[in-house]
Structures are given as structure tokens and as C-alpha cells.
Amino acid sequence: MTQKGFYYDQTTCIGCKACQVACKDKNDLDMGVRYRRVYDVEVGKFPKPHRLHFSISCNHCDKPKCVENCPTGALYKREEDGIVIHDYDKCIGCRLCTWSCPYGAPQYKEEEGKAGKCDGCSDLIAKGENPACVDACVMRCLNFGDIETLRQKQGQNADGNGLPNSEVTKPNIVITIKSV
């Protein structure tokens, strides 16, 4: 199995949220539901405070808590590429996935009474294209591909400002962190 994952370069992100908007548009998401989220993180202290941006979606973890705690099997890890998929028809809307994921990837859709999440734009990947968020990034700080290739090229770091310890779920993301 080839494990797919994301690379995110915090040093070049300007917090424009184009990735977030592209994801919402691609997935036709209602107000408040965001499969990719961009957060502002304030760091430092007077007289040198600083604002960082952080873009995150599902990390298609090696040990996904959402899959582990889903009582119906609506969430599963695809064998061919390791992407965590949500089977909408099996979802009962119990929200265990939303409470289990330390990254907040599964999102509850109030009007539908079910959850949903990033699937890495599986339909686009199947056609050899990038996820919508990657192509929308104006600063080119997002990338998607074979996680081992990304790690060889960008390093092993999967921990960032405000994120849980990567040992919990073994996320398939590589992050270049901005030093402050």
C-alpha cells in the first residue's frame, strides 16, 4: 500500500483561506462545515508578538481515532492509498467521529444529521489531479502525494503550533514550521 498524505509549509502561508474556500466549494458544504480549516495562531509576546497561519484537514492517520470509534464502520481506511473514507450511507450521525478526532477533521452536518470529512478529493486523485485545496493555494504551501516521498523531500515533522502530539494518531502530514 502507498500511503497518501499532505505537506504544509507554514513559513509561506499567508492565511488567505483560498484552500478552505476551494474545499467548501468542491464539496458544496453548508455554512459552518469546513473539511479544511485555516486558523490564525498568535505566538510570541510583547514587544514581538507574531501571527502564524495553520491550514489543516483530515490527516489520513495511520491510527485514525475516527475509524476506531465509528460504531457502524462508516469510516474506514482505504487499502490502496491509506485515505480515510466516510461512507455516507452507513453513517448514523452519532458524532463519535467528531469527538474522537484530535484534529477536528470529521464535521457534523446539522441539516443532514450525518457527518462528513475530507477524502483528499478522491475523485480528483483517481483522475491524476490534485485535491482542490492544493491547486487553490496561491503560495503553493500545500502539496499532496505519497507520504514517504514527501517526508524524504520535506522532513519528518508532523507536529505544529497548537496541534496534538503526532504519536496519538500517526498523522500523514509533513509540516514545515515557522520559527518565532
Side-chain angles (χ1 to χ4, degrees):
M1 172 181 93
T2 299
Q3 175 66 57
K4 299 290 186 187
F6 285 100
Y7 166 68
Y8 171 66
D9 184 354
Q10 187 178 51
T11 66
T12 59
C13 181
I14 60 173
C16 70
K17 300 186 182 181
C19 57
Q20 180 177 295
V21 172
C23 177
K24 271 187 88 62
D25 184 50
K26 160 77 173 70
N27 292 290
D28 195 27
L29 300 175
D30 288 335
M31 185 84 106
V33 178
R34 299 175 297 152
Y35 294 169
R36 177 163 288 280
R37 295 154 325 277
V38 178
Y39 297 108
D40 293 331
V41 181
E42 294 179 15
V43 295
K45 58 184 178 180
F46 181 81
K48 294 185 179 183
H50 193 72
R51 179 179 290 186
L52 304 175
H53 311 288
F54 205 91
S55 176
I56 192 158
S57 67
C58 178
N59 294 315
H60 307 288
C61 302
D62 285 345
K63 299 187 313 188
K65 295 297 180 189
C66 62
V67 171
E68 183 181 311
N69 293 322
C70 179
T72 65
L75 288 161
Y76 63 94
K77 197 162 171 65
R78 205 159 63 177
E79 286 189 32
E80 64 265 24
D81 55 14
I83 292 176
V84 176
I85 300 292
H86 177 258
D87 184 333
Y88 184 83
D89 294 331
K90 288 184 179 178
C91 182
I92 59 172
C94 68
R95 300 186 193 189
L96 280 174
C97 59
T98 65
W99 299 327
S100 299
C101 177
Y103 300 101
Q107 300 278 298
Y108 185 69
K109 299 175 173 184
E110 194 74 44
E111 288 188 20
E112 299 171 28
K114 295 190 178 204
K117 62 170 284 308
C118 162
D119 65 0
C121 292
S122 293
D123 58 331
L124 297 178
I125 294 168
K127 296 189 285 187
E129 298 177 23
N130 285 322
C133 59
V134 171
D135 283 348
C137 181
V138 296
M139 298 304 291
R140 299 294 173 241
C141 48
L142 279 176
N143 201 348
F144 182 83
D146 175 68
I147 195 65
E148 286 309 314
T149 303
L150 292 172
R151 286 177 178 147
Q152 287 171 0
K153 190 175 175 183
Q154 306 295 344
Q156 299 290 318
N157 187 42
D159 294 300
N161 298 312
L163 290 181
N165 185 318
S166 63
E167 291 300 312
V168 174
T169 63
K170 303 280 189 195
N172 287 298
I173 185 170
V174 179
I175 307 167
T176 299
I177 299 294
K178 190 169 193 170
S179 299
V180 286

